[in-house]
């Protein structure tokens, strides 16, 4: 994907998340997200940390014993930002090209938007080209996710856009559900058919 197109999707995604968050009640901010052990607020804070500098990144990594999942959760949950500050931070990021060390900002905003929206019953469509780019990146990722453990010997086909990947018995369904499953979210399984019962998330 062309860099300008990619950053355009990132900017639109951040602005869209900020708009969505700005209308939430306190109870909705505390709702469990699709990320196990994370609330909607935690995920929203994590999205603001896409601008984390190297020094802050290393500080959190050391305090977390260099355990990746612990590190990103600690960074989000320890941040004392209120809803208005979170929304303001996301809006301020629109137009910026900064990113945290090792971050994939398009993938982050595509997946984490769903982490927030799905539990709240909010429909947030994924732009097809951004969803395909995210799925392709997830497919080849070995850290922190290892897709091969969950989908070894399977192929995936989207029913609402041009996307196929993998070899073996076919799993088919909407692109959004494929992205959710490839990112380890159980919520995506309900929308998939074919060999979806062979997927072993968390295995």
């Amino acid at each position: 994907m062309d860099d300008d197109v990619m950053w355009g999707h990132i900017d639109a995604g951040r602005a869209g998340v900020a708009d969505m968050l700005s209308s939430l009640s306190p109870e909705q901010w505390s709702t469990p997200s699709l990320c196990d052990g994370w609330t909607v607020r935690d995920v929203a804070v994590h999205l603001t940390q896409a601008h984390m500098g190297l020094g802050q990144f290393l500080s959190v990594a050391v305090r977390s014993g260099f355990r990746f999942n612990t590190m990103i959760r600690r960074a989000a949950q320890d941040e004392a930002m209120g809803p208005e500050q979170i929304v303001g931070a996301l809006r301020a990021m629109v137009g910026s090209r900064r990113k945290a060390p090792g971050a994939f900002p398009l993938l982050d905003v595509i997946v984490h938007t769903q982490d927030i929206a799905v539990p709240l019953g909010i429909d947030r469509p994924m732009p097809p080209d951004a969803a395909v780019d995210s799925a392709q990146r997830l497919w080849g990722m070995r850290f922190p996710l290892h897709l091969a453990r969950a989908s070894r010997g399977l192929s995936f086909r989207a029913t609402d856009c041009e996307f196929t990947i993998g070899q073996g018995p076919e799993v088919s369904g909407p692109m959004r559900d494929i992205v959710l499953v490839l990112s380890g979210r159980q919520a995506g399984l309900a929308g998939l058919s074919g060999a979806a019962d062979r997927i072993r998330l968390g295995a």
Side-chain angles (χ1 to χ4, degrees), residues 16-166:
V17 171
D19 289 343
M20 176 173 61
L21 292 170
S22 68
S23 66
L24 299 187
S25 67
E27 293 75 18
Q28 288 175 309
W29 279 93
S30 300
T31 298
S33 74
L34 294 186
C35 297
D36 187 33
W38 294 56
T39 64
V40 163
R41 178 205 171 274
D42 297 334
V43 176
V45 171
H46 175 69
L47 281 172
T48 72
Q49 293 174 332
H51 280 180
M52 184 185 294
L54 181 60
Q56 184 183 359
F57 178 87
L58 291 174
S59 174
V60 177
V62 169
R63 287 187 286 120
S64 304
F66 293 94
R67 298 185 300 275
F68 182 80
N69 289 333
T70 301
M71 179 189 75
I72 60 173
R73 180 178 296 180
R74 180 191 293 272
Q77 295 179 344
D78 287 356
E79 180 60 64
M81 298 173 72
E84 290 186 6
Q85 292 172 300
I86 295 168
V87 170
L90 285 168
R91 294 198 195 285
M93 292 167 71
V94 174
S96 172
R97 301 297 180 258
R98 288 176 55 197
K99 63 177 185 176
F104 301 109
L106 177 59
L107 175 60
D108 279 352
V109 76
I110 287 293
V111 173
H112 291 318
T113 295
Q114 303 302 316
D115 287 335
I116 294 170
V118 171
L120 296 176
I122 299 172
D123 181 34
R124 297 291 299 184
M126 290 183 184
D129 57 339
V132 167
D133 184 88
S134 297
Q136 290 171 336
R137 186 174 296 279
L138 286 162
W139 184 261
M141 191 177 288
R142 293 295 176 265
F143 179 83
L145 300 173
H146 196 330
L147 176 65
R149 296 173 183 166
S151 61
R152 185 175 288 113
L154 299 176
S155 62
F156 290 80
R157 177 179 62 84
T159 55
D160 54 355
C161 69
E162 292 294 324
F163 175 78
T164 57
I165 205 164

Side-chain angles (χ1 to χ4, degrees), residues 159-191:
T159 55
D160 54 355
C161 69
E162 292 294 324
F163 175 78
T164 57
I165 205 164
Q167 294 182 332
E170 184 180 89
V171 176
S172 62
M175 192 69 220
R176 176 164 48 184
D177 291 316
I178 290 174
V179 171
L180 286 175
V181 166
L182 296 189
S183 60
R185 274 63 173 175
Q186 296 277 349
L189 287 172

